Amino acid sequence: MDRRAAEARLSALVRENRFTIAVVFPLIGALLFVVGYEAWVPAWLARNPFLIIFGTLVMRSPLVAGFAPLVDRRAGIALVLLTAYTYLIEFVGVTTGFPYGDFHYVLELGPMLFGTVPAGLPVFFFPLVLNSYLLCLLLLGPRADSRFARFAASLAVVVVIDLVLDPAAVALGFWTYADGGAYYGVPLVNYLGWIVSGAVAVGLVELGFDWRALRDRLDDCEFMLDDMVSFVILWGAMNAYFGNWIPAGIAVLLFVGLRRIDRFDFAVFRPTGTSR
């Protein structure tokens, strides 16, 4: 099977299973997190790192299928550099406290490199940046012609997404900050760190991909932002469960943004083969 055939097959698989991927998987994930946190089932089942990675990979599949046809040599180099940077900045962060503050992982999210950084880290980090960039391409409309607007808006959304993710992850015990923090156990310095790390990551995406080709792909690929739909459902639900109402409210705002660009239109409920 050649590359084009493989890409077409993956796209068809995602399209035929949008509801399962974008809605069922995050709901099951939220349920497992809750029953694990409450110790209603053994931790090895509810918080199994390999199950977490598997579920995450499934929810990432729309993003992978959407980007795959656009990954040429230039984009591939950018993604390799982004992978290396992801590991480097996280290793520095865990071992030195810069730039996110003094924190460490409590739950091992799969195999740990040097006993410090999850080997699957790019699976968790890439979508935060890529989804932010895609969302801004659509929300900006004609203003997407400005590189500065694309960069600044995407970086802002990256930080906003972490305003949702980090409080829920801390509440679940995925990682913890040594001195806690005023924002649901997360220190302000963490978000200053995300501005630093996010700026490099967004810059690599900007340099690696043709933004016009990405926007055209968004027009042709109705499910390309389904991974963000999964994010809103999973982490919005977890923040609501823990009473983290500000992050839950931000998740609602992300929902509004997805609705505005007609990406959270519940097309996942439509029978296979129907148009958007």
Side-chain angles (χ1 to χ4, degrees), residues 173-191:
F174 282 13
W175 54 81
T176 187
Y177 293 87
D179 300 319
Y183 183 70
Y184 302 100
V186 183
L188 175 62
V189 68
N190 172 69
Y191 296 104

Side-chain angles (χ1 to χ4, degrees), residues 53-183:
I53 291 177
F54 171 74
T56 303
L57 285 171
V58 171
M59 289 186 286
R60 301 301 186 243
S61 59
L63 195 63
V64 174
F67 266 91
L70 303 180
V71 178
D72 54 14
R73 182 176 180 180
R74 174 181 158 192
I77 292 172
L79 291 175
V80 169
L81 291 174
L82 183 55
T83 300
Y85 172 72
T86 299
Y87 286 128
L88 176 63
I89 194 69
E90 194 75 358
F91 181 80
V92 171
V94 173
T95 55
T96 71
F98 175 84
Y100 305 114
D102 188 2
F103 81 102
H104 68 275
Y105 286 92
V106 178
L107 176 66
E108 293 187 356
L109 302 175
M112 304 289 284
L113 296 179
F114 309 110
T116 305
V117 176
L121 187 63
V123 175
F124 303 115
F125 179 73
F126 276 20
L128 304 182
V129 180
L130 299 178
N131 282 327
S132 298
Y133 193 82
L134 295 177
L135 181 64
C136 289
L137 288 182
L138 294 175
L139 288 176
L140 287 171
R143 287 172 292 179
D145 289 337
S146 164
R147 172 170 287 184
F148 175 78
R150 294 194 304 272
F151 177 84
S154 298
L155 179 57
V157 175
V158 167
V159 176
V160 166
I161 285 176
D162 195 58
L163 286 168
V164 176
L165 173 61
D166 242 299
V170 168
L172 283 166
F174 282 13
W175 54 81
T176 187
Y177 293 87
D179 300 319
Y183 183 70

Side-chain angles (χ1 to χ4, degrees), residues 151-237:
F151 177 84
S154 298
L155 179 57
V157 175
V158 167
V159 176
V160 166
I161 285 176
D162 195 58
L163 286 168
V164 176
L165 173 61
D166 242 299
V170 168
L172 283 166
F174 282 13
W175 54 81
T176 187
Y177 293 87
D179 300 319
Y183 183 70
Y184 302 100
V186 183
L188 175 62
V189 68
N190 172 69
Y191 296 104
L192 297 176
W194 271 89
I195 293 174
V196 174
S197 62
V200 175
V202 171
L204 286 171
V205 174
E206 176 70 28
L207 292 173
F209 290 89
D210 180 344
W211 71 271
R212 293 180 182 85
L214 279 175
R215 193 162 64 180
D216 290 342
R217 178 63 175 158
L218 281 164
D219 291 338
D220 296 334
C221 186
E222 74 280 7
F223 57 74
M224 198 168 176
L225 271 168
D226 277 6
D227 180 51
M228 184 166 271
V229 174
S230 301
F231 177 89
V232 169
I233 292 173
L234 175 57
W235 296 107

